[in-house]
Amino acid sequence: MTDYQPGDEVQSTRFGQGRVEFDKGQTVIVRFAHGLEEVRSNEIQRQNTVTQAIAASQWSSPLHVIARMQAEAILSVSSRWSVFSRSRITLLPHQLWVCKRVLERWPTHWLIADDVGLGKTIEAGLILWPLLSSKRVERLLILAPASLVPQWQERLRELFDIRLERYVASHDTPRADPWGGRPRQIIASLQTLRLDRNGRHHRLLDADPWDLVIVDEAHHLNADELTGTTLGYRLIQHMLHERRIISMLFFTGTPHRGKEWGFWSLLHLLKPDEFHPRLPKSEQLPRLRGTMIRNNKQNVTDLRGNRLFQPPVVTTQTYRYNLDEARFYDMLTDFILTGKAYASTLGARDQRMARLILIAMQKLAASSIAAIRQALRNRLDSIERTHSPQSTTTRHQLMEQYEEFERDEDFDQLSKQEEGEVIRILLPLMNDEPARLRELIHFADLVTRETKLSAIVDTLDNRFRGRSVLLFTEYKATQSMLMSMIMQRFGDNSVTFINGDERAENIIDASGTIRTLRVSREDAAHAFTTGEARFLVSTEAGGEGIDLQQRCYTLIHVDLPWSPMRLHQRVGRLNRYGQSQRVEVVSFLNPDTVEARIWEKLNEKLDVIVGALGYAMDDPEDLRQLVLGMASPRWVRDLFADAAEQSSDTLASWFDMRTATFGGRDVVATVKDLIGHSAHFDFAEVSDQIPKVDLPDLKPFLRVALHLEGRQLREDEQGLSFRTPESWAREPRVRPSYEGLLLDRQSPAPDANKRILGVGSPVMDVALRSCAKQPVRVGVIPAQVRFDTLVIFQLEDRLTATSGMVTKAVIGVMLSQSTENVIWDWEVLVTLNSLVNQYGLRRLQGSGGAIDPHELLRAVERAQRRVEQALPSLGLPFELPVVTPLAILAAAPVPQGLKPVFDFLDESSSRASSVAIVQNNSGGKRSRLPVAKLGLSSPPTAR
């Protein structure tokens, strides 16, 4: 039986390389990359350490040592930054930085509150890729709003080849097992899963724990000091109580909703020991930097430090009603005021319901005459066709459903209800309502030309001639009317649409035919982004989870929603990464309407608030988003609705009174706290750490690894090809051969997501494991290769309880006679790749010959001292770091007085295979020396 000493390095077939902590006789306690394991002594093999190999003069082929160093560097940089994931999109520094922060500790608990358009699904994919590849995460549950579930599923599949199962409620039955199994990666609608139907929650809580739960739009997990918690909050709370969640990530662009209780309650779910709504804020704020990340558009950059985003250019175009429109608007205003007076005589619940109907009318009228006319017809039809009164219970259920959509900020469902169910609620609004409705419909029918929509179409034809334009409206009736006008001006194929029903009715095409159009959200987006359709008219269904910036940088707000946060979401469809132009945004307002006056006053108020905070952040748009996110949707809705009761003389003073607390000291202080205490990306701070490598930097390693296995990497216009080494092909999911592999994220090939090679690809993973476990420590490079000594070290944390996904890191030291330069793992890879590319495989394969072991030992000691000195400045997530030498690569000494670079071979000599011409350091004189005297196994190639 072999006796092991603490510090001995060993190899295990199950756990890979490790270091002995304690020998117990039949078993040995070994520290592996993932932590401590107790293994049988006959299951491990001792490997020489670097110093032991030097002492025993065990020189390995330099190419084998290079391959191991490359593999160790790739695995290190990939685990810390996820830079070699198979993402189909160019990775940005802030995304890599977010990935690094999240993976530094395991279990991980973070609130990621980046601005709209910064790529949250890409950040999620970067985080997930190494976790899934390493099997650290096998059970994954993603909870998202119902409208975003398809987008999450599609993005992770297309960009990262992460394939999620979609939860289907009808399949969740007592006889089924929708949550069991390992591995299991599921995405579900939070709105669906939060409801405990048919024993759903019992089965969910009875299943194995989830390694990671991700919640998108996590502000929906709301808690209120008076009304309690939402169903979604209680679901997560219950899962945590039953220990069914190991790690958890929350994504939201609006983490603070203006209520301290809700914000600290959300953080309490993530870290209950550190945050609680009853704890003093001053005690919790310092902990925020380790839990919440917020990046805004103005501080994200490319790898060169250049800012990627410009603030959008926002302008307002005014119009005024014609006589018929003005008459109708005045009549409708009188109808609404009469209705509000009548509602004041009703009971409290009916009063709320009547106000909701009247508010819906007011909002529809602000969108278009077409929208309000259709709504009035639907309401009158419901009143005249209904012979029995609508039950109070039914009305109240509709009201509660609407308010639930409002709390969840499901804007598309809100608009759909305002256009449909809400307007049909059979609650009388006044004594003579049917007669008044008929009168309104009559005067609406007299409006044959809508000034705003006509002005929009003229703008498309003049100011934005030839441009692709995205247009947003709240309501389907306005959408259909505008599409009809666009078709009649520009042709039937010029426009497509997105709405929640994927159906547009009452479209009048260029020939005058009334049609119903059907198109999926994905097909509409494809037609618009490829140029098949020049215009896209969208409801709020297109306000989230869709990228439209490829060919478009112009957006028109057909109407302005009463929830200002929607404006930010709309602009985020264009003002996002990949946009090559400065985004232009145009709003159409009638200064004679109360809505326009309220928007004017609200913007003035926001300008004052942003001015007070301007020193804290560079991006005024991000500040607006934070401030608006603190105003509840109901507060904003009531502000617009009640303004209709004010005259032009009293509106200003009334507005100041109603908004006195909006943007007050508490809001300003809260925004400052969020900005000042959240973690955020700063290029100046981390630019030297950000890996300057990408998928193409894997090619030199793959070439070396295949060469050492007797295989050749071939490359043509289709990509990379090779026959798989037999030892690799024994691994699961590794094919006998590969054709057309890609290391290009931007490849236009339709099947590129299947052909992209990266860390996590089965064949790449087996190549990395194969090279990293090789027992090679010391490589001596032939003397003709100009190369300083490189020593690489493994850094790991002695405390296994604090280890995260990043359990170890590789650091290198380049040594010359006078310098000791510490280099990151990615710089180690770049250095070795340059060596391989410059000198080729054959020149690096043979050993460079003898070298003084004492010099190598001194080099290792010198390099280790330098690493230990640099540890505090490296920023690695290790509390008690351990530094272990992994390998050393050094050049053989050149005979004294000779230049270490060989210019050419004496090809005229009959002994060219064994004789080289060298040049002394003073220049000029050349000598013919046998290769053997230079410590070379083969002569250098002619240059």
Side-chain angles (χ1 to χ4, degrees):
M1 182 180 296
T2 303
D3 291 329
Y4 292 98
Q5 301 298 319
D8 282 352
E9 296 194 19
V10 295
Q11 178 73 30
S12 163
T13 54
R14 279 196 300 163
F15 302 116
Q17 293 176 327
R19 190 173 61 255
V20 171
E21 294 288 332
F22 186 70
D23 187 349
K24 298 175 67 175
Q26 290 186 333
T27 62
V28 183
I29 296 175
V30 182
R31 182 184 299 275
F32 294 101
H34 63 276
L36 294 174
E37 295 284 353
E38 186 169 353
V39 297
R40 292 183 180 275
S41 58
N42 59 4
E43 292 180 356
I44 56 177
Q45 291 182 333
R46 179 186 279 116
Q47 292 187 331
N48 277 343
T49 65
V50 171
T51 54
Q52 290 169 343
I54 293 173
S57 296
Q58 291 181 348
W59 304 163
S60 301
S61 157
L63 200 60
H64 280 86
V65 177
I66 289 170
R68 180 178 180 181
M69 285 182 161
Q70 287 175 311
E72 296 280 9
I74 290 168
L75 290 169
S76 174
V77 71
S78 183
S79 68
R80 293 197 309 124
W81 295 93
S82 197
V83 71
F84 292 123
S85 69
R86 294 174 57 203
S87 165
R88 286 290 310 280
I89 192 168
T90 300
L91 305 179
L92 297 176
H94 78 276
Q95 295 165 343
L96 296 173
W97 178 85
V98 169
C99 172
K100 174 179 176 290
R101 288 301 303 269
V102 169
L103 295 180
E104 283 177 344
R105 291 284 184 269
W106 190 266
T108 191
H109 301 87
W110 281 93
L111 169 61
I112 302 173
D114 284 356
D115 193 6
V116 176
L118 294 187
K120 67 181 174 186
T121 48
I122 294 172
E123 291 174 346
L126 286 172
I127 293 165
L128 286 173
W129 185 255
L131 292 171
L132 295 172
S133 299
S134 66
K135 294 183 170 50
R136 175 64 67 94
V137 167
E138 290 189 310
R139 287 179 54 80
L140 167 69
L141 177 63
I142 298 179
L143 302 175
S147 61
L148 298 184
V149 166
Q151 180 242 351
W152 271 89
Q153 198 173 19
E154 178 185 356
R155 289 286 186 81
L156 290 180
R157 182 184 67 249
E158 289 189 354
L159 297 181
F160 295 92
D161 199 28
I162 295 173
R163 299 176 182 271
L164 304 173
E165 303 174 57
R166 191 182 302 190
Y167 172 77
V168 180
S170 60
H171 297 173
D172 188 354
T173 65
R175 292 187 176 185
D177 184 19
W179 306 113
R182 178 177 291 270
R184 201 72 187 273
Q185 288 99 45
I186 297 177
I187 184 165
S189 158
L190 178 61
Q191 290 99 316
T192 299
L193 203 59
R194 68 188 178 184
L195 302 174
D196 189 10
R197 301 276 173 82
N198 195 25
R200 174 188 295 153
H201 287 182
H202 174 75
R203 290 186 290 277
L204 177 63
L205 296 170
D206 195 45
D208 289 342
W210 298 95
D211 299 315
L212 177 62
V213 171
I214 294 176
V215 182
D216 188 22
E217 304 297 341
H219 52 271
H220 293 163
L221 307 178
N222 195 22
D224 186 273
E225 189 172 8
L226 298 178
T227 60
T229 56
T230 60
L231 292 173
Y233 190 101
R234 292 199 288 275
L235 171 63
I236 298 297
Q237 198 173 39
H238 201 179
M239 292 176 71
L240 289 167
H241 182 265
E242 296 297 321
R243 300 180 183 276
R244 287 300 179 266
I245 300 175
I246 296 172
S247 286
M248 189 156 54
L249 297 178
F250 290 165
F251 287 89
T252 174
T254 52
H256 199 296
R257 314 298 292 172
K259 295 182 178 180
E260 296 282 332
W261 186 275
F263 177 68
W264 297 116
S265 296
L266 186 64
L267 292 174
H268 178 70
L269 285 178
L270 282 171
K271 294 185 177 179
D273 295 336
E274 296 185 23
F275 301 101
H276 194 282
R278 296 195 186 279
L279 289 175
K281 183 169 70 171
S282 58
E283 181 181 324
Q284 301 180 83
L285 280 173
R287 304 175 188 146
L288 204 56
R289 195 174 296 274
T291 307
M292 178 174 160
I293 293 171
R294 181 169 183 83
N295 293 308
N296 63 70
K297 288 190 174 77
Q298 288 303 102
N299 66 12
V300 302
T301 69
D302 61 17
L303 285 171
R304 298 180 182 87
N306 301 315
R307 288 188 173 184
L308 295 172
F309 293 94
Q310 303 178 72
V313 178
V314 181
T315 59
T316 299
Q317 190 163 327
T318 60
Y319 69 96
R320 279 187 160 81
Y321 288 144
N322 59 37
L323 291 176
D324 290 334
E325 291 172 314
R327 179 172 52 188
F328 173 78
Y329 185 83
D330 289 342
M331 291 181 65
L332 181 66
T333 300
D334 183 67
F335 179 92
I336 290 172
L337 292 175
T338 302
K340 287 182 177 180
Y342 182 84
S344 65
T345 66
L346 305 175
R349 298 188 73 176
D350 283 348
Q351 186 177 145
R352 281 172 53 211
M353 199 170 306
R355 279 180 55 84
L356 179 60
I357 300 168
L358 294 166
I359 286 171
M361 290 183 177
Q362 190 176 344
K363 293 174 67 178
L364 286 158
S367 178
S368 69
I369 301 293
I372 184 60
R373 178 171 51 218
Q374 185 62 48
L376 294 172
R377 286 174 176 167
N378 290 341
R379 179 165 182 81
L380 180 61
D381 184 66
S382 296
I383 292 172
E384 292 180 339
R385 287 176 176 270
T386 304
H387 302 293
S388 57
Q390 196 175 36
S391 71
T392 303
T393 301
T394 301
R395 295 202 302 265
H396 289 165
Q397 285 175 344
L398 285 170
M399 180 75 179
E400 289 170 2
Q401 186 181 45
Y402 180 90
E403 291 179 341
E404 182 179 334
F405 287 140
E406 191 173 50
R407 283 192 300 272
D408 288 344
E409 295 186 0
D410 192 336
F411 299 136
D412 193 58
Q413 284 295 333
L414 282 174
S415 298
K416 186 176 179 180
Q417 282 216 326
E418 288 162 356
E419 228 173 343
E421 289 90 340
V422 168
I423 213 73
R424 291 189 176 94
I425 292 175
L426 295 179
L427 177 71
L429 299 178
M430 57 195 68
N431 291 323
D432 56 345
E433 183 184 356
R436 295 286 298 273
L437 288 173
R438 292 189 195 95
E439 182 183 33
L440 282 171
I441 293 169
H442 169 72
F443 282 99
D445 286 338
L446 295 179
V447 178
T448 57
R449 178 181 178 273
E450 294 208 35
T451 308
K452 177 173 67 172
L453 300 187
S454 297
I456 289 172
V457 174
D458 288 342
T459 300
L460 298 179
D461 204 10
N462 298 309
R463 178 178 173 184
F464 298 142
R465 180 181 292 272
R467 288 194 199 179
S468 292
V469 180
L470 172 63
L471 304 101
F472 268 104
T473 178
E474 291 194 84
Y475 300 109
K476 288 182 62 180
T478 304
Q479 181 184 53
S480 293
M481 175 61 75
L482 183 57
M483 287 176 62
S484 299
M485 295 173 68
I486 290 174
M487 285 181 177
Q488 291 157 28
R489 178 76 66 92
F490 301 100
D492 291 348
N493 297 323
S494 64
V495 62
T496 187
F497 70 94
I498 291 176
N499 62 39
D501 298 330
E502 300 187 339
R503 185 177 69 252
E505 299 164 328
N506 300 317
I507 300 292
I508 304 173
D509 64 17
S511 68
T513 303
I514 299 176
R515 301 164 56 190
T516 295
L517 302 180
R518 291 176 173 83
V519 64
S520 71
R521 167 188 167 107
E522 293 76 17
D523 288 344
H526 176 78
F528 184 62
T529 55
T530 58
E532 294 176 24
R534 181 182 158 197
F535 307 110
L536 172 62
V537 184
S538 177
T539 66
E540 303 303 338
E544 290 183 313
I546 191 167
D547 297 350
L548 301 170
Q549 77 276 18
Q550 289 90 331
R551 299 173 63 93
C552 179
Y553 59 93
T554 306
L555 182 146
I556 291 178
H557 295 300
V558 178
D559 44 40
L560 291 177
W562 285 12
S563 175
M565 277 298 297
R566 296 198 210 181
L567 300 180
H568 195 78
Q569 290 283 353
R570 289 175 173 184
V571 177
R573 298 313 97 212
L574 299 183
N575 194 31
R576 55 197 308 110
Y577 177 61
Q579 178 59 260
S580 59
Q581 304 286 333
R582 191 166 188 177
V583 173
E584 293 186 42
V585 181
V586 180
S587 302
F588 280 76
L589 287 174
N590 182 341
D592 299 328
T593 62
V594 66
E595 292 82 12
R597 293 196 291 271
I598 289 296
W599 268 111
E600 181 183 7
K601 301 294 293 181
L602 194 58
N603 281 324
E604 289 174 358
K605 183 93 174 180
L606 285 169
D607 288 340
V608 172
I609 299 169
V610 170
L613 291 166
Y615 68 90
M617 284 182 69
D618 294 331
D619 185 3
E621 286 303 310
D622 193 56
L623 286 173
R624 284 174 178 266
Q625 181 195 8
L626 281 173
V627 173
L628 288 171
M630 295 182 188
S632 73
R634 187 177 297 180
W635 179 86
V636 179
R637 183 190 73 190
D638 290 344
L639 179 69
F640 277 91
D642 294 345
E645 302 172 24
Q646 304 301 315
S647 68
S648 57
D649 295 331
T650 62
L651 183 65
S653 58
W654 171 87
F655 178 88
D656 291 339
M657 181 188 68
R658 284 291 294 267
T659 62
T661 58
F662 176 65
R665 291 181 180 179
D666 289 346
V667 171
V668 172
T670 299
V671 172
K672 288 180 180 177
D673 288 338
L674 290 179
I675 295 166
H677 292 88
S678 300
H680 65 274
F681 169 77
D682 187 329
F683 183 82
E685 289 184 5
V686 299
S687 59
D688 62 328
Q689 300 178 30
I690 297 172
K692 311 301 191 298
V693 290
D694 206 343
L695 293 181
D697 295 286
L698 296 175
K699 186 164 64 173
F701 163 73
L702 188 59
R703 180 183 292 116
V704 171
L706 287 168
H707 178 80
L708 293 176
E709 294 285 347
R711 295 289 191 266
Q712 183 179 359
L713 182 66
R714 303 184 305 277
E715 185 173 9
D716 57 26
E717 64 276 4
Q718 298 301 315
L720 305 176
S721 305
F722 57 86
R723 285 193 305 115
T724 308
E726 292 180 7
S727 60
W728 298 4
R730 299 190 193 107
E731 296 289 329
R733 298 174 60 206
V734 176
R735 300 201 298 266
S737 63
Y738 289 86
E739 301 286 338
L741 294 177
L742 301 172
L743 293 171
D744 178 11
R745 301 186 192 277
Q746 305 301 318
S747 171
D751 59 345
N753 62 322
K754 298 178 181 178
R755 295 163 54 194
I756 287 181
L757 187 65
V759 174
S761 302
V763 70
M764 179 59 71
D765 288 353
V766 71
L768 290 167
R769 289 197 302 270
S770 174
C771 292
K773 74 180 183 181
Q774 292 301 314
V776 294
R777 299 293 188 178
V778 184
V780 181
I781 298 177
Q784 84 273 22
V785 175
R786 179 177 292 171
F787 188 76
D788 291 333
T789 299
L790 171 63
V791 189
I792 66 167
F793 296 86
Q794 177 176 289
L795 278 63
E796 56 189 330
D797 199 342
R798 190 183 297 277
L799 295 179
T800 55
T802 62
S803 65
M805 179 61 195
V806 183
T807 57
K808 64 179 184 178
V810 168
I811 294 293
V813 179
M814 289 296 300
L815 295 171
S816 67
Q817 289 185 349
S818 59
T819 61
E820 304 161 345
N821 294 322
V822 175
I823 59 176
W824 289 102
D825 40 19
W826 65 269
E827 293 174 302
V828 169
L829 181 61
V830 169
T831 300
L832 295 170
N833 286 354
S834 298
L835 184 63
V836 170
N837 292 336
Q838 183 175 357
Y839 293 102
L841 302 179
R842 297 180 66 185
R843 194 183 297 188
L844 296 170
Q845 186 156 7
S847 174
I851 192 169
D852 184 358
H854 295 94
E855 288 188 17
L856 292 179
L857 286 172
R858 284 193 293 270
V860 173
E861 292 170 0
R862 184 178 155 207
Q864 182 153 350
R865 283 196 302 271
R866 181 68 187 93
V867 171
E868 290 170 349
Q869 292 170 0
L871 276 175
S873 64
L874 295 179
L876 293 168
F878 305 146
E879 293 190 25
L880 294 177
V882 178
V883 181
T884 306
L886 282 182
I888 182 171
L889 193 64
V894 179
Q896 189 172 5
L898 294 181
K899 190 176 179 180
V901 175
F902 297 85
D903 294 321
F904 53 85
L905 279 176
D906 182 10
E907 295 183 349
S908 62
S909 169
S910 61
R911 301 180 62 193
S913 61
S914 59
V915 177
I917 292 181
V918 297
Q919 185 176 41
N920 64 21
N921 287 330
S922 60
K925 184 178 178 182
R926 290 181 174 137
S927 304
R928 182 179 279 109
L929 290 177
V931 169
K933 284 193 175 182
L934 301 177
L936 305 180
S937 60
S938 61
T941 305
R943 295 179 57 179

